[in-house]
Amino acid sequence: MNFSFTKEQRMIRDMVRDFATKEIAPKAEEVDRTGEFPIETFHKMGELGLMGIPFPEEYGGSGGDTMSYILAVEEIGKACGSTGLSYAAAVSLGASPIYAFGTEKQKQEHLVPLAKGESLGAFGLTEPNAGSDAGGTRTKAELKGDRYVINGEKCWITNTSFARTVIVTAVNGVDKKGKKKISAFIVPTDSKGLTIRSEYEKMGVKGSNTTELVLEDVEVPEENILGDADKGFHQFLYTLDGGRISIAALALGIGRAAYEAALAYSQERKQFGKVIGSFQAIQFKLADMAMELELASNMIYKAAWLKDNKKPFKKEAAMAKLFASETATRACNQSLQIHGGYGYMREYSIERYLRDAKLMEIGEGTSEIQRLVIAREIGCPKS
Ligand SMILES: Cc1cc2nc3c(=O)[nH]c(=O)nc-3n(C[C@H](O)[C@H](O)[C@H](O)COP(=O)(O)OP(=O)(O)OC[C@H]3O[C@@H](n4cnc5c(N)ncnc54)[C@H](O)[C@@H]3O)c2cc1C
């Protein structure tokens, strides 16, 4: 067993940490307050090769691995939850399915610009009536001649306003047993009939772009089916498995930011003539935070290692996402408590960390759904 990162992984982590400290963290408060998507930051991230870390150079990527990408998400998330979410969605949800399932032509045409950071990736799975039960999609794709005509509605989709294409899942028929066939389509965002509706008022990750997507007779050529037809269900399950490792890393980054702020504050804030960090009640909170974050990081890195080594990682990704997201929320909550009244004020970042962290328990499968996935993986019968 080897617990150390490779030289390349350390180099990428240090480079991203430096960039995130200098370029992302100083803007995080403003991004949250204004809700403005930090597009300039993404241009710089593209120039640094961060948008294509886990993809081969022949597809515009940096030729790194999942572990390096996960370390990048953690560092970016630690600096700014909004930027971290858009980054994770762009790479894990927008670009990765094209790399995993796309044809060679689709990779050249659609993955290369994403990996180079010329556009942001987006993935439209969720619908108003199909969230946790994403297979319950009502969006339909009908083949007419050599073109699919897509009709439906997607909600809470990340990055669409800054994407040239969005991957959309839709029902394109039924099999002999009457079961829905689902396919994924690469849909250009400037397609006729596609409307990107205004952003939602969110509790956290306010600078991350989240939109509604309405598709009314949107036509795409047959060749825009991602990889093979009728494989959309399998494709989105695999995509979510990978995405969960990145959401876990994002949660870890936010949790670490909250923990480090609490540790520093506990060493300077004095009450009863002593720094509050000398009180056992505060020390125990910090000790629990440090332990849980350490455990979360081990779970995340193991899941990333399994993926990189082409071993099954579904259960470990679900466990890492579940534990890291709940750990992050707890750490942010405890950090706020350690900051007392100051933690409740907007001028400190703690309340932002808490608002941002909460999403990690919901997006890419809620905590309840992670428990369901784990239960199935360990052999519990289907309910
Ligand atoms: C900021 C943000 C960004 C997002 N970005 C994207 C994106 O880019 N692309 C995309 O496709 N989606 C995106 N989503 C959607 C997200 O993935 C869904 O919100 C999530 O999957 C949960 O679906 P739901 O909100 O419809 O909740 P529901 O499925 O309605 O769940 C409601 C509650 O019921 C519980 N529940 C549901 N089913 C079960 C069950 N079988 N057993 C036990 N409990 C259950 C849930 O855990 C939850 O507590 C985003 C959401 C947000 C808030």
Side-chain angles (χ1 to χ4, degrees):
M1 192 176 270
N2 184 352
F3 274 106
S4 51
F5 297 120
T6 64
K7 194 171 154 220
E8 289 75 22
Q9 289 161 352
R10 282 200 307 274
M11 264 171 52
I12 291 180
R13 182 198 58 194
D14 294 347
M15 184 263 283
V16 179
R17 182 175 291 169
D18 187 54
F19 176 77
T21 307
K22 289 183 185 144
E23 294 276 344
I24 301 179
K27 297 185 190 129
E29 187 278 326
E30 190 189 340
V31 163
D32 177 65
R33 183 169 34 81
T34 61
E36 269 175 36
F37 185 78
I39 187 66
E40 287 306 319
T41 305
F42 278 88
H43 288 154
K44 289 182 186 164
M45 285 160 67
E47 283 161 19
L48 285 174
L50 305 190
M51 305 310 294
I53 290 179
F55 309 118
E57 289 171 17
E58 63 195 285
Y59 299 126
S62 311
D65 53 12
T66 307
M67 188 72 84
S68 305
Y69 160 60
I70 286 305
L71 292 170
V73 177
E74 185 185 327
E75 294 300 331
I76 294 168
K78 193 173 170 208
C80 173
S82 294
T83 309
L85 179 66
S86 281
Y87 176 58
V91 179
S92 287
L93 300 185
S96 289
I98 304 177
Y99 177 54
F101 305 110
T103 61
E104 185 57 32
K105 186 166 179 280
Q106 288 170 344
K107 287 179 192 169
Q108 291 300 341
E109 209 173 309
H110 303 292
L111 176 58
V112 170
L114 296 177
K116 286 185 173 172
E118 293 165 4
S119 169
L120 280 184
F123 185 71
L125 178 67
T126 306
E127 298 180 8
N129 292 301
S132 300
D133 179 16
T137 177
R138 290 184 190 173
T139 298
K140 283 202 168 71
E142 207 182 329
L143 189 60
K144 288 189 176 166
D146 60 354
R147 297 180 80 76
Y148 274 97
V149 181
I150 308 176
N151 280 287
E153 200 180 326
K154 300 283 174 180
C155 62
W156 307 323
I157 311 306
T158 305
N159 291 343
T160 21
S161 304
F162 298 88
R164 278 187 211 157
T165 54
V166 54
I167 299 173
V168 166
T169 50
V171 178
N172 61 306
V174 283
D175 64 16
K176 283 176 194 156
K177 291 179 188 161
K179 218 174 144 204
K180 280 180 192 169
K181 290 182 190 170
I182 297 177
S183 295
F185 298 84
I186 302 172
V187 181
T189 48
D190 61 0
S191 299
K192 193 164 165 261
L194 187 141
T195 313
I196 296 170
R197 288 222 178 113
S198 60
E199 293 191 35
Y200 303 94
E201 278 268 346
K202 301 193 295 282
M203 166 183 166
V205 290
K206 286 170 179 266
S208 175
N209 174 254
T210 316
T211 72
E212 191 180 3
L213 209 62
V214 181
L215 301 107
E216 289 167 308
D217 291 330
V218 171
E219 286 189 29
V220 293
E222 201 177 353
E223 63 178 32
N224 276 34
I225 279 202
L226 179 65
D228 297 327
D230 310 337
K231 297 281 189 245
F233 192 77
H234 160 75
Q235 289 172 352
F236 78 65
L237 287 183
Y238 180 82
T239 300
L240 290 177
D241 286 342
R244 281 166 188 164
I245 312 177
S246 68
I247 294 296
L250 177 51
L252 176 64
I254 299 171
R256 280 201 161 137
Y259 159 72
E260 286 176 17
L263 185 62
Y265 188 75
S266 73
Q267 289 161 8
E268 66 193 40
R269 174 70 173 170
K270 283 191 178 157
Q271 288 294 286
F272 301 97
K274 290 177 181 172
V275 288
I276 59 168
S278 65
F279 303 137
Q280 200 177 48
I282 302 292
Q283 289 177 358
F284 280 12
K285 285 190 203 302
L286 290 164
D288 283 348
M289 288 156 83
M291 176 189 67
E292 290 191 2
L293 290 165
E294 177 70 16
L295 183 49
S297 70
N298 286 338
M299 294 172 82
I300 295 165
Y301 302 153
K302 181 179 173 190
W305 182 89
L306 288 170
K307 185 165 189 282
D308 276 334
N309 285 279
K310 313 247 175 305
K311 293 176 190 291
F313 64 94
K314 181 187 269 297
K315 181 184 74 184
E316 288 77 7
M319 285 178 168
K321 200 265 190 189
L322 172 60
F323 187 75
S325 60
E326 294 192 350
T327 291
T329 310
R330 259 193 310 277
C332 293
N333 206 12
Q334 292 293 46
S335 178
L336 199 152
Q337 192 68 19
I338 290 172
H339 281 81
Y342 290 109
Y344 204 71
M345 300 296 136
R346 290 208 67 166
E347 63 176 295
Y348 280 68
S349 309
I350 317 304
E351 58 85 39
R352 167 165 55 86
Y353 296 149
L354 181 57
R355 286 187 284 108
D356 288 354
K358 184 62 195 173
L359 175 72
M360 310 311 140
E361 293 181 48
I362 297 168
E364 296 195 39
T366 60
S367 288
E368 290 76 15
I369 294 303
Q370 304 314 312
R371 288 188 166 88
L372 214 105
V373 171
I374 297 164
R376 283 191 190 150
E377 287 294 302
I378 60 174
C380 295
K382 274 191 180 182
S383 56

